[in-house]
Amino acid sequence: MDWSPILISIRTACVSILLTFFLGLFAAWWVAQMRSNKWKMIMDGLFTLPLVLPPTVLGFFLLYIFGVQRPVGKFLLDFFSVKVVFSWSATVIAAVTASFPLMYRSARGALEQVEDTYLQAARTLGYSEWKVFWRIWMPLALPGVASGAVLAFARGLGEFGATAMIAGNIAGKTRTLPLKIYSEVAAGNMSGAYTYVIIVVVISFVAILAMNYFTLRGQRYAKRGGRT
């Protein structure tokens, strides 16, 4: 069995979730802090858009941005000698873009469920906004945020369409598990495809169990009134 698709997928998912976690968390905090409902709706729509777009359309936009003849791709190539398209970094970019909405929406929902009285009480005690977020807001919202991170990890692991568009299907380089399954089926090797399908199903099921665990823990935490 070829282990490279598994290693590439795990490596991509691990790196992408680090980026997605902090980007999604920051975006959720930023939108939750907005006072204008109009701007909140607009920004929420923009951040959620990758969730409803077809993966190939998402990949098209990424290819349009990072193509070697496009401003961003040309800038990276000319000044840093970095070619994003058809490289491993392209798989990370595709995974981050596809999984970001899941992290963002889960984190925002968790943050907005925290009672404002806790936050105001911390502010009256002289806590800075940075301290309020990490010492009060984040611990209370952690189960929901963790569930979002698990979903984002699984989504990044299973990304196919956008990855195929911007990273290609290069064996040993950008061929992730979904692309490997596609390649095996296209080649008529169904037995090989079954093996990789089982691996994806097992990883996805474990991710669902982890998400349910964090959700249940959050519900118990809420029933105790936020007390450990």
Side-chain angles (χ1 to χ4, degrees), residues 91-114:
T91 67
V92 175
I93 292 173
V96 169
T97 307
S99 61
F100 170 83
L102 291 172
M103 183 66 219
Y104 158 72
R105 294 199 67 85
S106 298
R108 183 188 167 191
L111 292 174
E112 290 183 340
Q113 287 180 0
V114 176

Side-chain angles (χ1 to χ4, degrees), residues 123-206:
R123 293 187 181 105
T124 59
L125 293 174
Y127 279 33
S128 65
E129 287 300 319
W130 181 260
K131 199 171 183 179
V132 167
F133 180 79
W134 288 110
R135 296 290 297 275
I136 307 298
W137 213 345
M138 186 62 180
L140 291 173
L142 186 58
V145 172
S147 296
V150 172
L151 281 176
F153 176 84
R155 180 66 182 85
L157 187 71
E159 171 52 36
F160 175 81
T163 303
M165 290 287 288
I166 190 175
N169 188 9
I170 306 172
K173 186 176 181 181
T174 66
R175 182 172 290 174
T176 58
L177 275 170
L179 289 170
K180 179 63 175 178
I181 294 171
Y182 172 81
S183 299
E184 292 295 324
V185 173
N189 184 15
M190 297 302 293
S191 61
Y194 290 147
T195 303
Y196 294 107
V197 166
I198 292 173
I199 293 173
V200 172
V201 170
V202 170
I203 295 175
S204 300
F205 185 69
V206 171

Side-chain angles (χ1 to χ4, degrees), residues 46-66 90-101 155-156 159-167:
L46 289 175
F47 289 149
T48 309
L49 190 60
L51 185 64
V52 296
L53 285 176
T56 50
V57 174
L58 192 61
F60 174 83
F61 282 122
L62 292 176
L63 192 61
Y64 188 86
I65 294 171
F66 293 102
T91 67
V92 175
I93 292 173
V96 169
T97 307
S99 61
F100 170 83
R155 180 66 182 85
E159 171 52 36
F160 175 81
T163 303
M165 290 287 288
I166 190 175

